[in-house]
Amino acid sequence: MPRFHHANLGVPPGLEEVEGTFLVDVLGYRRMEVPADLAGIARWYEATDGSQIHLSIDPDHRPAARAHTAIEVDEDVVVLETRLAAAGITFRSAGRGDLTVLFCVDPAGNHWELRHPAGNPAAG
């Protein structure tokens, strides 16, 4: 059975630090060490469940118009909205059945869908 391991997202040169800050400070990933042969061209981040986001530094990066990365978040939606706003990340919120979904674009222009189950005990 397939199991999700990581998504690889592009980031233009010079935005890797701000993109990493988004992943760590807003979404709660932790930075990982990359193999020596990837130093300077990739950065890796990991969530508590072991899933990862890999960033590839790409001088030709062009964000997709519709493609996006969707993750489930346990964080209280109000706390997450506050962190997004504090980081200068605009977002929109929508209900999807028993979900609250926040849609945003990260500093590199990549689209995100942040899904929060309404039945989650962390729900605010």
Side-chain angles (χ1 to χ4, degrees):
M1 173 189 267
R3 186 174 62 95
F4 179 78
H5 184 267
H6 74 271
N8 185 11
L9 303 175
V11 60
L15 284 184
E16 56 270 20
E17 285 297 325
V18 70
E19 186 75 6
T21 298
F22 169 77
L23 291 172
V24 172
D25 293 349
V26 177
L27 298 184
Y29 285 86
R30 66 182 171 272
R31 189 166 177 180
M32 303 171 61
E33 293 298 319
V34 297
D37 62 322
L38 296 178
I41 60 172
R43 296 200 178 175
W44 293 356
Y45 298 84
E46 187 173 50
T48 56
D49 70 354
S51 63
Q52 299 175 6
I53 298 294
H54 295 181
L55 300 179
S56 290
I57 300 168
D58 180 1
D60 297 320
H61 176 62
R62 287 175 184 67
R66 293 189 178 245
H68 62 276
T69 301
I71 61 171
E72 289 187 355
V73 294
D74 291 333
E75 192 72 56
D76 182 302
V77 172
V78 175
V79 171
L80 185 55
E81 289 174 341
T82 300
R83 286 200 318 251
L84 286 164
I89 305 289
T90 59
F91 61 90
R92 68 180 173 84
S93 179
R96 296 278 191 264
D98 64 345
L99 295 173
T100 298
V101 182
L102 303 177
F103 298 95
C104 68
V105 176
D106 69 25
N110 300 306
H111 295 260
W112 288 81
E113 179 180 322
L114 311 175
R115 304 166 58 87
H116 179 73
N120 187 308

